[in-house]
Amino acid sequence: VLELPWLEWIAPQPSPSLSALAGLARIPENRPALLTTADLAFPDPRVFEDFCRGAATLGGDVAVGLIPYPIVAARYPGVRRTSLKFTDGPFCTCNLFAFLTPKGRTMVEYWRNLERERKHPWRLVRALDMIALIRYLLGRLSTQAISQRIEKKMGIKVNFVVLPYPDAAIDVDTEDDLHLVRTAVGDD
């Protein structure tokens, strides 16, 4: 058994946001925290390094990782992934979040109220305000505008780190996802 003094397993909670809160509670509030999920299919160190570098460079309170949808679709033709359709491109999430300030951690409480809507981007946007929803539905909302609206509503500066790794958008939520991963690694 590999023992790493800085690595600690925390029992899963009833929901992703509660698991995030439990994990963040174990890290001193004044320290930045990287959050990802255990179902990330291809944990490539380059993804984490580039994400952390991008988050530190952009600053703010929270950083969220995004992958351009076209590179995911090119790598995995026919794959079904939730696509966030912004004016600066359609994106997939990649389950990478950085909480850079104590204030940024309050975003998890907000997420708790919305997590059941995570597969419905328009519902997430609607939670900000109706103008944002209308702009999103008309295809006239950018990631920068989302960031500005979150900051206006919650006082939290969220930045998006766009990464060039299509594998980072693949997580294993379903049997189809597991089949996709096994096929990609030649284990199917």
Side-chain angles (χ1 to χ4, degrees):
V1 173
L2 179 64
E3 291 191 28
L4 303 170
W6 48 266
L7 183 65
E8 178 182 353
W9 183 84
I10 299 171
Q13 300 301 304
S15 73
S17 64
L18 291 174
S19 291
L21 285 170
L24 288 172
R26 307 291 295 193
I27 300 168
E29 210 176 70
N30 62 341
R31 294 188 69 194
L34 171 67
L35 175 69
T36 191
T37 58
D39 66 351
L40 187 63
F42 304 103
D44 183 334
R46 294 174 304 162
V47 174
F48 296 107
E49 290 167 5
D50 288 356
F51 174 72
C52 289
R53 188 177 306 109
T57 300
L58 292 171
D61 299 303
V62 177
V64 177
L66 297 176
I67 310 293
Y69 180 79
I71 68 171
V72 176
R75 170 77 170 95
Y76 299 100
V79 71
R80 293 182 56 161
R81 291 284 153 223
T82 302
S83 175
L84 306 170
K85 295 170 181 72
F86 296 114
T87 57
D88 43 339
F91 296 101
C92 293
T93 60
C94 60
N95 291 336
L96 284 174
F97 308 91
F99 297 93
L100 303 168
T101 67
K103 182 168 57 169
R105 293 177 182 214
T106 63
M107 188 81 178
V108 180
E109 283 292 341
Y110 186 71
W111 173 32
R112 247 184 102 200
N113 297 322
L114 295 173
E115 74 183 308
R116 68 184 165 278
E117 308 294 354
R118 70 186 184 280
K119 300 292 183 180
H120 306 283
W122 70 270
R123 292 180 186 170
L124 296 172
V125 173
R126 178 183 64 189
L128 290 174
D129 59 52
M130 288 307 291
I131 299 297
L133 174 60
I134 291 167
R135 289 182 64 199
Y136 181 78
L137 293 174
L138 293 174
R140 301 187 53 119
L141 190 65
S142 67
T143 54
Q144 182 179 3
I146 283 285
S147 180
Q148 291 168 347
R149 293 209 177 269
I150 292 169
E151 188 170 16
K152 181 178 178 184
K153 181 173 181 136
M154 302 174 57
I156 298 171
K157 178 66 176 169
V158 175
N159 288 308
F160 296 96
V161 178
V162 178
L163 300 166
Y165 306 104
D167 292 345
I170 306 301
D171 55 11
V172 182
D173 292 331
T174 66
E175 288 290 326
D176 288 343
D177 293 338
L178 182 58
H179 176 73
L180 172 74
V181 171
R182 286 182 171 162
T183 301
V185 298
D187 191 32
D188 202 25

